[in-house]
Amino acid sequence: MSRLCDWAVETLHRFEVAAVQEVAGLSEFKSATLGASSLREFFMPPDHELSDFRVFGSFHMDSYLGQVILLERQAVQYVTDCFAGGRYVAVKYVDRRGRQKLFISVHFPHSDNTDESYSSAIFSLSQMLRECPGICTVVAGDWNAQPGDARHAEL
């Protein structure tokens, strides 16, 4: 993984969870596959700038490069499940206060992709959301939609 700017890492420490898009270099780290999904947990060396985070991601996405979810180690008791779709990765976890949460990072198709591929990404995400009712959920990332365009209206 490329080094992040010092300001970015400093900013990340203010949040319990963050999403990073289009990440390269994940394969250089030791990792383990989680459950039936293609999502992996990457193990950062102690001297790495992201060693304070649990790093979950995949480089087997429909988008060009991988997606990563960073969970601050001190904010998370444990991870209960992981999911990966063609255009999203997700981690379900219990925070330090015992609350179950779901964080989803999306990277939807760019405007040069068909509207059908965009609709398919929305359908896949909505199917995943139906599997986790009643959980505090945050969906963040790159929607590749502009206010006023058809894709924005579809969201």
Side-chain angles (χ1 to χ4, degrees):
M1 182 183 299
S2 304
R3 282 198 50 84
L4 296 172
C5 299
D6 290 336
W7 66 266
V9 173
E10 182 179 319
T11 301
L12 287 174
H13 283 284
R14 296 180 186 159
F15 300 99
E16 178 177 300
V17 61
V20 182
Q21 305 291 322
E22 298 187 1
V23 177
L26 291 174
S27 60
E28 70 184 75
F29 299 105
K30 291 181 182 177
S31 65
T33 303
L34 302 166
S37 76
S38 62
L39 200 64
R40 302 182 73 77
E41 182 168 7
F42 295 89
F43 305 105
M44 300 294 121
D47 61 341
H48 193 275
E49 64 185 342
L50 295 178
S51 63
D52 291 340
F53 298 90
R54 291 188 66 185
V55 180
F56 299 88
S58 178
F59 41 84
H60 299 291
M61 308 300 296
D62 291 342
S63 53
Y64 177 63
L65 295 170
Q67 291 181 245
V68 171
I69 293 175
L70 303 172
L71 296 176
E72 187 183 28
R73 288 187 186 281
Q74 294 181 1
V76 176
Q77 284 188 32
Y78 55 91
V79 172
T80 60
D81 210 349
C82 297
F83 309 89
R87 290 289 178 168
Y88 69 84
V89 293
V91 176
K92 190 182 341 179
Y93 64 98
V94 175
D95 72 10
R96 66 177 166 239
R97 294 184 183 143
R99 297 175 298 204
Q100 190 170 23
K101 296 182 176 181
L102 174 65
F103 187 86
I104 305 168
S105 172
V106 301
H107 189 192
F108 274 25
H110 291 263
S111 60
D112 60 346
N113 293 156
T114 65
D115 288 339
E116 183 178 282
S117 68
Y118 198 84
S119 295
S120 176
I122 291 173
F123 179 78
S124 176
L125 176 62
S126 66
Q127 291 292 100
M128 210 271 333
L129 287 168
R130 284 189 198 105
E131 294 178 21
C132 302
I135 297 172
C136 177
T137 301
V138 173
V139 183
D142 188 349
W143 298 95
N144 282 312
Q146 300 296 320
D149 71 12
R151 289 180 172 190
H152 186 262
E154 189 174 1
L155 287 174

